[in-house]
Coordinates of all heavy atoms in Angstrom, one line a residue:
E1 N 77.9 115.6 84.8 CA 76.9 115.1 85.7 C 75.9 116.2 86.0 O 74.7 115.9 85.9 CB 77.5 114.6 87.0 CG 76.6 114.0 88.0 CD 77.2 113.6 89.3 OE1 78.4 113.9 89.6 OE2 76.5 113.0 90.2
F2 N 76.3 117.4 86.3 CA 75.4 118.5 86.7 C 74.4 118.8 85.6 O 73.2 119.0 85.9 CB 76.2 119.7 87.0 CG 75.4 120.9 87.3 CD1 74.8 121.1 88.5 CD2 75.3 121.9 86.3 CE1 74.0 122.2 88.8 CE2 74.5 123.1 86.6 CZ 73.8 123.2 87.8
I3 N 74.8 118.8 84.4 CA 73.8 119.2 83.3 C 72.6 118.3 83.2 O 71.6 118.6 82.5 CB 74.5 119.3 81.9 CG1 75.1 117.9 81.5 CG2 75.5 120.4 81.9 CD1 75.5 117.9 80.1
H4 N 72.6 117.1 83.8 CA 71.5 116.2 83.7 C 70.5 116.4 84.9 O 69.4 115.9 84.9 CB 72.0 114.7 83.8 CG 72.8 114.4 82.6 ND1 72.2 114.2 81.3 CD2 74.1 114.2 82.4 CE1 73.2 114.0 80.4 NE2 74.3 114.0 81.1
Y5 N 70.9 117.3 85.8 CA 70.0 117.6 86.9 C 69.1 118.9 86.6 O 69.6 119.8 86.0 CB 70.8 117.9 88.2 CG 71.6 116.7 88.7 CD1 72.9 116.8 89.0 CD2 71.0 115.4 88.7 CE1 73.6 115.7 89.4 CE2 71.7 114.3 89.1 CZ 73.0 114.4 89.5 OH 73.7 113.4 89.9
D6 N 67.9 118.9 87.1 CA 67.0 120.0 86.9 C 66.2 120.4 88.1 O 65.2 121.1 87.9 CB 66.2 119.8 85.6 CG 65.4 118.5 85.7 OD1 64.8 118.2 86.7 OD2 65.5 117.7 84.7
S7 N 66.5 119.9 89.3 CA 65.8 120.3 90.5 C 66.7 120.3 91.7 O 67.7 119.6 91.7 CB 64.6 119.3 90.7 OG 65.1 118.0 91.1
D8 N 66.2 121.0 92.7 CA 67.0 121.1 93.9 C 67.1 119.7 94.6 O 68.1 119.4 95.1 CB 66.3 122.0 94.9 CG 66.4 123.5 94.6 OD1 67.1 123.8 93.6 OD2 65.8 124.3 95.3
E9 N 66.0 118.9 94.5 CA 66.1 117.6 95.1 C 67.2 116.7 94.6 O 67.7 115.9 95.3 CB 64.7 116.9 94.9 CG 63.6 117.5 95.7 CD 63.0 118.7 95.0 OE1 63.2 118.9 93.8 OE2 62.3 119.5 95.7
E10 N 67.5 116.9 93.3 CA 68.6 116.1 92.8 C 70.0 116.5 93.2 O 71.0 115.8 93.0 CB 68.5 116.1 91.2 CG 67.2 115.5 90.7 CD 67.1 115.7 89.2 OE1 67.2 116.9 88.7 OE2 66.8 114.7 88.5
L11 N 70.1 117.7 93.8 CA 71.4 118.3 94.1 C 71.7 118.3 95.6 O 72.7 118.9 96.0 CB 71.5 119.7 93.5 CG 71.4 119.7 92.0 CD1 71.2 121.2 91.5 CD2 72.7 119.1 91.4
V12 N 70.9 117.7 96.4 CA 71.1 117.7 97.8 C 72.4 116.8 98.1 O 72.8 115.9 97.4 CB 69.9 117.2 98.6 CG1 68.8 118.1 98.5 CG2 69.6 115.8 98.3
C13 N 73.0 117.2 99.3 CA 74.2 116.4 99.7 C 73.8 115.0 100.2 O 72.6 114.7 100.3 CB 74.9 117.2 100.8 SG 74.0 117.3 102.4
N14 N 74.8 114.2 100.4 CA 74.5 112.8 100.8 C 73.8 112.7 102.1 O 72.9 111.9 102.3 CB 75.8 112.0 100.9 CG 76.4 111.7 99.5 OD1 75.7 111.7 98.5 ND2 77.7 111.5 99.5
S15 N 74.1 113.6 103.0 CA 73.5 113.7 104.3 C 72.0 114.0 104.2 O 71.1 113.3 104.7 CB 74.2 114.7 105.2 OG 73.5 114.8 106.5
C16 N 71.7 115.0 103.4 CA 70.2 115.3 103.2 C 69.5 114.3 102.4 O 68.4 114.0 102.6 CB 70.1 116.7 102.5 SG 70.5 118.1 103.6
R17 N 70.2 113.7 101.4 CA 69.6 112.6 100.6 C 69.2 111.4 101.6 O 68.2 110.9 101.4 CB 70.6 112.1 99.6 CG 70.0 111.0 98.7 CD 70.9 110.7 97.5 NE 70.6 111.7 96.5 CZ 71.6 112.6 96.1 NH1 72.8 112.5 96.5 NH2 71.3 113.5 95.2
G18 N 70.1 111.1 102.5 CA 69.8 110.1 103.5 C 68.6 110.4 104.3 O 67.7 109.5 104.5
E19 N 68.5 111.6 104.8 CA 67.3 112.0 105.5 C 66.0 111.9 104.7 O 65.0 111.5 105.2 CB 67.5 113.5 106.0 CG 68.6 113.6 107.1 CD 68.8 115.1 107.5 OE1 68.0 115.9 107.1 OE2 69.9 115.3 108.1
L20 N 66.1 112.3 103.4 CA 64.9 112.2 102.6 C 64.5 110.8 102.4 O 63.3 110.5 102.4 CB 65.2 112.9 101.2 CG 65.3 114.4 101.2 CD1 65.8 114.9 99.8 CD2 63.9 115.0 101.4
E21 N 65.5 109.9 102.2 CA 65.2 108.5 102.0 C 64.5 107.9 103.3 O 63.6 107.1 103.2 CB 66.4 107.7 101.6 CG 66.9 108.1 100.2 CD 68.2 107.5 99.8 OE1 68.9 106.9 100.7 OE2 68.6 107.6 98.7
E22 N 65.0 108.3 104.4 CA 64.5 107.8 105.7 C 63.1 108.2 105.9 O 62.2 107.5 106.4 CB 65.3 108.3 106.9 CG 66.7 107.6 107.0 CD 67.5 108.3 108.1 OE1 67.0 109.1 108.9 OE2 68.8 108.0 108.1
R23 N 62.7 109.4 105.4 CA 61.3 109.9 105.5 C 60.4 109.4 104.3 O 59.3 109.7 104.3 CB 61.3 111.4 105.5 CG 61.9 112.0 106.7 CD 61.7 113.5 106.9 NE 61.8 114.2 105.6 CZ 62.8 115.1 105.4 NH1 63.7 115.4 106.3 NH2 62.9 115.7 104.2
G24 N 61.0 108.7 103.4 CA 60.3 108.2 102.2 C 60.0 109.4 101.2 O 59.1 109.3 100.5
G25 N 61.0 110.3 101.2 CA 60.8 111.5 100.3 C 61.2 111.1 98.8 O 61.2 110.0 98.5
P26 N 61.5 112.1 98.0 CA 61.7 111.9 96.6 C 62.8 110.9 96.2 O 62.7 110.3 95.2 CB 62.2 113.3 96.1 CG 61.7 114.3 97.2 CD 61.6 113.5 98.4

């Protein structure tokens, strides 16, 4: 799974991913 990622945004934890989605982020 990891080898398909190439940015910090793709590797954030579920908690941070939820916060980004709430703000309309990446």
Side-chain angles (χ1 to χ4, degrees):
E1 180 183 8
F2 175 76
I3 59 165
H4 296 287
Y5 297 133
D6 52 49
S7 70
D8 286 355
E9 290 81 18
E10 296 172 310
L11 295 168
V12 295
C13 67
N14 290 337
S15 178
C16 288
R17 179 170 285 116
E19 290 173 13
L20 286 171
E21 289 172 354
E22 288 173 14
R23 293 191 314 249

